[in-house]
Amino acid sequence: MAGPLVLNIQKYAIHDGAGIRTTVFFKGCPLSCLWCHNPESQRYPRELMFHQDRCAGCGECAQACPSGAAMPPDREACRQCGACVDACAHGAREWAGEPWEVRDLVRALEKDRMFYEQSGGGVTLSGGEVLAQDMDYVEALARRLYEDGVSVDIDTCGHVPYERFRRVLPYADTFLYDLKLMDPEAHRKYTGVDNALILENLKRLSGDGGKIDIRLPLIAGVNADEGHIGAVIDFLRREDIRPHRVNLLKYHDTGRGKYPQLGRTYEGAGLAAPSDAWLEQARETFLRNGFTNTEIGG
């Protein structure tokens, strides 16, 4: 079964759920977060990434390109035929996103079974947004792994119809659930959508017995403040949502260099990470409010 595009299969991942995991990154997301460190995961179609620092200026790509769009990359004229990628001997051009059949992907993921079994790990399906993909494909993949005894975690932003959660709930061990901002207008400003569906889905998932790790990406000047931490705690307590774990994730800009490779501008240049001291204070606030399994990082 062919389906969505896979960006990357990252082995030996230790921050995407329990134990040693292999994380599958799918292409396409309903959010467009200002700080996104995987911009190649935002759009659903395959995209050309051009690494200027690897280009030798040999001109082989331009000779191969049938539309004259190779050098410099003209993304509007590009037909995505792949001729320039094939012609480049220096690795300056690559495709972001490749199709995988479910059976082939399962076969590749099960090669790491020894690490899963020894560490209590498994496979994490991520993105982009895995639940925004072809759900026949995603459900088949999760079911195959589950039936083969491989733990499956779902890393999600939550902005999808709830029926998509229901389809994978029988096969998922843990949902790694992002809460980016609690104020709906601020959420729209920084991610492109409000958070009503995200919060409603979190309540329903908790009510249906889903095991949930709440993950809070924290950015100075955006949401790394007492008001946001208090709002998250108030929401979780009011709705009686008892996460298995709360992870406080420090902002980083390691994906900044990918934006020019895609012909885009990084709009988060003014963003910064909160201090370690503030993160520890935020952790202490969660602990005081009964969320005893709160960690910095993860």
Side-chain angles (χ1 to χ4, degrees):
M1 178 192 297
L5 299 180
V6 174
L7 277 170
N8 187 25
I9 300 173
Q10 182 177 326
K11 295 176 177 289
Y12 210 86
I14 57 174
H15 299 296
D16 295 328
I20 297 172
R21 311 190 73 83
T22 300
T23 303
V24 183
F25 294 90
F26 291 96
K27 187 162 169 49
C29 183
L31 273 58
S32 52
C33 300
L34 193 67
W35 53 83
C36 182
H37 59 271
N38 287 319
E40 73 278 23
S41 74
Q42 292 179 333
R43 300 174 184 174
Y44 293 86
R46 191 168 70 159
E47 293 179 273
L48 176 69
M49 297 188 75
F50 174 56
H51 304 269
Q52 178 70 56
D53 58 324
R54 302 178 191 170
C55 180
C58 65
E60 293 295 327
C61 58
Q63 294 183 37
C65 178
S67 58
M71 184 59 74
D74 183 340
R75 297 177 187 277
E76 292 185 3
C78 177
R79 301 177 189 173
Q80 295 201 346
C81 67
C84 66
V85 177
D86 294 339
C88 181
H90 305 282
R93 295 161 183 271
E94 64 176 325
W95 286 118
E98 295 292 345
W100 280 73
E101 294 280 351
V102 168
R103 63 176 180 273
D104 296 331
L105 185 52
V106 169
R107 193 175 297 124
L109 295 171
E110 290 193 341
K111 291 179 180 179
D112 294 329
R113 179 184 289 273
M114 178 180 67
F115 297 106
Y116 310 153
E117 293 175 346
Q118 291 179 351
S119 69
V123 171
T124 297
L125 305 181
S126 186
E129 172 56 56
V130 59
L131 297 182
Q133 311 297 330
D134 178 343
M135 283 306 296
D136 288 341
Y137 180 101
V138 174
E139 182 180 3
L141 174 61
R143 184 180 66 249
R144 284 279 302 275
L145 291 168
Y146 173 84
E147 290 174 349
D148 289 348
V150 176
S151 165
V152 177
D153 283 1
I154 303 291
D155 187 1
T156 180
C157 71
H159 192 79
V160 295
Y162 188 71
E163 177 58 29
R164 292 171 174 256
F165 282 93
R166 281 206 180 100
R167 292 185 64 172
V168 296
L169 187 56
Y171 317 114
D173 180 19
T174 306
F175 290 86
L176 313 180
Y177 205 106
D178 284 1
L179 283 182
K180 295 176 170 64
L181 292 126
M182 297 304 291
D183 177 81
E185 289 307 312
H187 200 282
R188 182 182 297 277
K189 174 182 177 182
Y190 287 106
T191 74
V193 301
D194 69 29
N195 60 359
L197 180 60
I198 294 168
L199 298 180
E200 180 62 25
N201 283 343
L202 179 55
K203 291 190 289 184
R204 296 178 72 175
L205 182 61
S206 176
D208 284 345
K211 181 181 174 184
I212 300 167
D213 284 1
I214 296 294
R215 295 164 71 83
L216 305 179
L218 295 167
I219 305 102
V222 176
N223 61 1
D225 55 58
E226 293 182 5
H228 176 59
I229 297 302
V232 172
I233 291 172
D234 288 347
F235 175 80
L236 296 176
R237 296 180 69 176
R238 181 174 66 250
E239 301 300 336
D240 195 27
I241 297 171
R242 302 179 183 183
H244 168 253
R245 181 178 286 107
V246 176
N247 293 102
L248 309 181
L249 307 179
K250 188 176 184 178
Y251 163 78
H252 62 80
D253 66 351
T254 54
R256 180 194 294 253
K258 296 180 181 179
Y259 285 79
Q261 293 169 7
L262 293 161
R264 302 184 212 164
T265 300
Y266 181 58
E267 301 293 343
L271 302 179
S275 69
D276 291 341
W278 183 88
L279 285 168
E280 186 56 41
Q281 289 177 2
R283 177 177 176 272
E284 290 295 330
T285 300
F286 273 99
L287 295 176
R288 287 198 306 272
N289 282 274
F291 298 93
T292 56
N293 203 3
T294 299
E295 302 174 358
I296 297 172

